[in-house]
Amino acid sequence: QAALLARTWKSLIREMGGIEGNGTIYHYAHSMGGSDTAAAQSLLTEEEKQMIKVISFGSATLIQKDGFQSVTNYVSKHDAVPLSDPIGFIKAMLDRNTNVIFIGQYLGLPFIDHPFNAETYQLIVQALGEAFVNEYGCVNENK
């Protein structure tokens, strides 16, 4: 999966005019997709990685920046899957200057908030989408 993802990124970069094209790929990953994303970064050049912004949700591997333009890992406080990366998880809990953002409440049932369509993650996706449209697009006024 990582090799396929890296090939897809390379293809998109070529479509944007190559590393001189100044384009940006917004890559969203969830669950095991975060592990595939972390593995795929070793298959890119430093210049290619600089063209990719990574946003993960409940990733099984908390992704390090390691050359990407930016990386933000969103982790619900009720999602057990990110515990698959215990070292990354503990580092994120102890270091407030990390690229991991913990979301949601500590109160309530544990381990239930992993699905991508769970309200916790969907609120973030909606906010990111609105920010993207505000920066790069226009809203259809006929809606």
Side-chain angles (χ1 to χ4, degrees), residues 96-114:
R96 295 296 171 202
N97 293 320
T98 184
N99 64 344
V100 178
I101 299 173
F102 290 95
I103 53 177
Q105 302 292 325
Y106 282 112
L107 300 174
L109 296 173
F111 308 122
I112 61 166
D113 217 7
H114 180 66

Side-chain angles (χ1 to χ4, degrees), residues 59-62 80-94 102:
S59 178
T61 301
L62 296 176
V81 171
L83 292 169
S84 301
D85 180 4
I87 294 171
F89 191 88
I90 291 168
K91 284 171 69 175
M93 291 290 291
L94 297 175
F102 290 95

Side-chain angles (χ1 to χ4, degrees), residues 7-74:
R7 283 194 305 272
T8 301
W9 283 338
K10 288 175 179 284
S11 175
L12 292 169
I13 290 168
R14 280 191 303 275
E15 284 182 28
M16 293 186 298
I19 57 174
E20 294 83 25
N22 294 325
T24 299
I25 296 169
Y26 282 75
H27 175 78
Y28 285 31
H30 174 254
S31 196
M32 286 303 296
S35 298
D36 295 334
T37 300
Q41 69 189 154
S42 67
L43 303 173
L44 301 176
T45 67
E46 293 303 313
E47 295 81 10
E48 290 168 333
K49 287 190 266 187
Q50 273 299 301
M51 298 181 74
I52 303 171
K53 290 184 177 186
V54 176
I55 302 102
S56 80
F57 303 87
S59 178
T61 301
L62 296 176
I63 305 163
Q64 301 301 308
K65 187 171 185 244
D66 291 337
F68 283 126
Q69 188 178 127
S70 68
V71 175
T72 305
N73 297 281
Y74 290 97

